[in-house]
Amino acid sequence: MDMAKDQDISLSRDEVGDPQVTLANDHAAEVAEALAVAQPAPATRPAAPQVSGSSRPHESARAQVAGAASYVDDIPELKGTLHAAPILSTVAHGRLLDVDTAAALAMPGVRGVVLARDIPGDRLLGNFSHDEPVLAEDTVQHIGQVIGLVVADTVMQARRAARKVISQIEPLPALLTVDDALEAQTYVLPPVFVRRGDADAALAAAAHTLRGTLQVGGQEHFYLEGQVAYAVPQEQGQWLVYSSTQHPAEVQHWVAHALGIASHAVRVECRRMGGGFGGKETQAGHMAVWAAVAARKLQKPVKLRLDRDDDFLITGKRHPFAYDYAVGFDDTGRIAGLKLRMAVNCGFSADLSGPVADRAVFHVDNAYFLAHVEIASYRCKTHTQSNTAFRGFGGPQGMIVTEAIMGDIARHLGLDPLAVRRRNLYGVGERDTTHYRMKVEDNILAPLLSKLELTAKYQQRREAISAWNRSSPVIQRGIALTPVKFGISFTATLFNQAGALVHVYTDGSCQVNHGGTEMGQGLNTKVCQIVADELGIAFEQVLATASDTGKVPNASATAASAGTDLNARAAQYAARTVRDNLAQFVAGLDGCGAGAVRFQGGEVTTPAATRPFTEVVKLAYANRIQLWSDGFYRTPKIHYDKNTLTGRPFFYFAYGAACTEVAIDTLTGESRVLKVDILHDVGNSINPAIDIGQIEGGFVQGMGWLTTEQLVWNDQGLLTTHAPSTYKIPTAGDIPAHFRIDLWPEANREDNVFGSKAVGEPPLMLAISVYEALRDAVAAARPGVPVRLQAPATAENVLKALGRLAA
């Protein structure tokens, strides 16, 4: 990915253009027949004209381009506002003996220091595991753990003073890797085991077996807007907290818990975030709690905004995983048995590691039926940042090892990896139950892969790449086509609920508020589209307002890709109640049934008359008809036993596939993604432009995770890649010119809002095709040698896989 642009080493787009090999006629006919039989007809849409189903601009797009969209740090500060900066541990594990704040307190503008003893409520955060201190008190457990806060008149005064605090820490032995934790048997949560069939017997009877290991690194969220909170004291012991958070209700709970007050005394508001990706699901709560504790001590509004280096050092990342596996299979590549150990680097506390690790277990199968499988999941405690949610929430870590196994099986047998993947796919009416006992009822994997194979010209390109590699001693190319099957719902069943409020005003305009949060993904836009259709009015007449715990209580996090599924449905139900009120009123005027009243195109029509929507609203108000309502939705059908990890944790699956072509320089280890073709299943798209944007962004973020984004800790436990200078996310130059995305033409088979499917997380896992294509290129460079490529596939790791550097 970092290949120097001035190296003309046969990686230019002219030289790696479309392969010119004709698809064999028999194979073309086979694929066409599969498509004709299995591909569903294009889904029918509700009667036009509609707002939903069209590519509307993001509701904040104009404001964001103009610099007029307000984020937490843009909110005008009240007179007397102070600024906080964190005091960080410089030791990975140790006893905190003393904190000397004298030098800091003597600095200009400093108003005070906040330590654990200043917390009026519980000194542990109010999360499920109850294992993480608000501020370190007796022990520090990672470099960057927050010991206290310096509060000053300006942000720079606070940051400079925080560096003057001297913490006396007695070092203790630190566990810095999962191997250390496994040897010490130190876990944040007990290990989990899931079994189906008899994996040992299947391995013993298999015609072929392979054993291997794999390490996959973590990932920094690198949201454009860093972590920030602004805590403002209100009258009579009440609080207003502005928080850049994916979960305002949890921030409310944590702040109340730390201050020792009831939740009703805390109101949390979030208009928008500048990105979240899971990093603001729980971690934003820390900022809010710290700001609120400081504000309570000093009786002033306090803002806490982390700089990027501190953000890296304090907050958790995507969980790194280490795998050890044994797989048995037949001559065709079909898996007979799999034993897999997954060691999860959770960091020093549980945070969301339990459900992340559980989802990884759920997604080990990805798109494949595993008849005999045994999975052991170890949730390892290390003295590093407490890892947390990240787009995919364990799903990517579950899938990647199985995709790597598929590639290894194919190379062992001398088969096309796509043929091996096809051989193992879930079936329809057979081989259709997951290892956690959920039946796959909406399977479109086979036709989806067949269509992408045809449209991406996979077979032609594979032959052309083989020919290229035989004649190119330095530049080797690879290709992979990999599927995705991703379960949609929170694995914690209680979070699968949502509420919304819809207000219609007497001028016909409408305001909607819901429990979800906007982080750039277009949730508010989609909600407004759904509400506009329900009321039969223009999109421009609907306005979504800031997420606010004072309006919709106890809302779930905007996560698990379920933001639209939950909140748009709740808003739809609220709007439907208002519409029904109006329909009954108009039916009374015109002497018809309420079912005969139609709302469309800004008009209300009955068999007797047509009236503008605005006129109907004014008449209804004059007749004291309720013009607002709440809506509530809870996801149906889901259930599972959290002790055995069996049941139906997901409402439905989202599917997709990506075909990626890459090239590697075997002398430098540098790589480049040349072409990407994606076919993704979003059901009936509420907003195709937004959905395609999510697919593009998710894929590129996944590509970064697996290629350039490497987190490095030194032997003291310091994260050394804590700035853009050392931590490399993809740039515009890394995006291939050939980047094609198509949407699968079928509605969600479950009764979901507008027939849509979730799109936030599933596309990230399409980028596993990049990793598998890189492994394909490495295999081409070393025929017959097993591929041992760790992720991310940096230039260094590629060279190790090529045998040019010691592993």
Side-chain angles (χ1 to χ4, degrees), residues 14 18 26 50 59 107 184 206 223 236 253 275 342 363 369 416 438 498 631 668 729 754 769:
D14 289 340
D18 287 331
D26 57 342
Q50 278 200 318
E59 51 90 22
M107 294 281 286
Y223 21 65
Q236 302 181 66
H253 170 64
M342 310 169 78
H363 284 81
F369 178 76
D416 183 339
M438 178 176 172
T668 67
I729 64 173
F754 195 66
S769 62

Side-chain angles (χ1 to χ4, degrees), residues 595-620:
V597 182
R598 296 286 179 266
F599 294 75
Q600 188 170 309
E603 295 180 330
V604 181
T605 302
T606 72
T610 296
R611 300 175 179 88
F613 179 81
T614 52
E615 179 184 324
V616 170
V617 168
K618 290 175 182 176
L619 286 170

Side-chain angles (χ1 to χ4, degrees), residues 144-160:
Q145 184 173 2
V146 177
I147 294 170
L149 305 163
V150 172
V151 185
D153 291 334
T154 71
V155 63
M156 293 311 299
Q157 287 174 334
R159 289 175 181 175
R160 292 188 190 104

Side-chain angles (χ1 to χ4, degrees), residues 356-396:
V356 166
D358 288 349
R359 186 173 274 266
V361 170
F362 286 138
H363 284 81
V364 161
D365 60 336
N366 189 17
Y368 312 113
F369 178 76
L370 302 174
H372 300 279
V373 60
E374 181 178 315
I375 304 167
S377 173
Y378 293 90
R379 292 91 196 272
C380 300
K381 176 173 180 173
T382 60
H383 293 109
T384 59
Q385 292 84 352
S386 185
N387 290 317
T388 190
F390 201 124
R391 196 176 197 170
F393 202 79

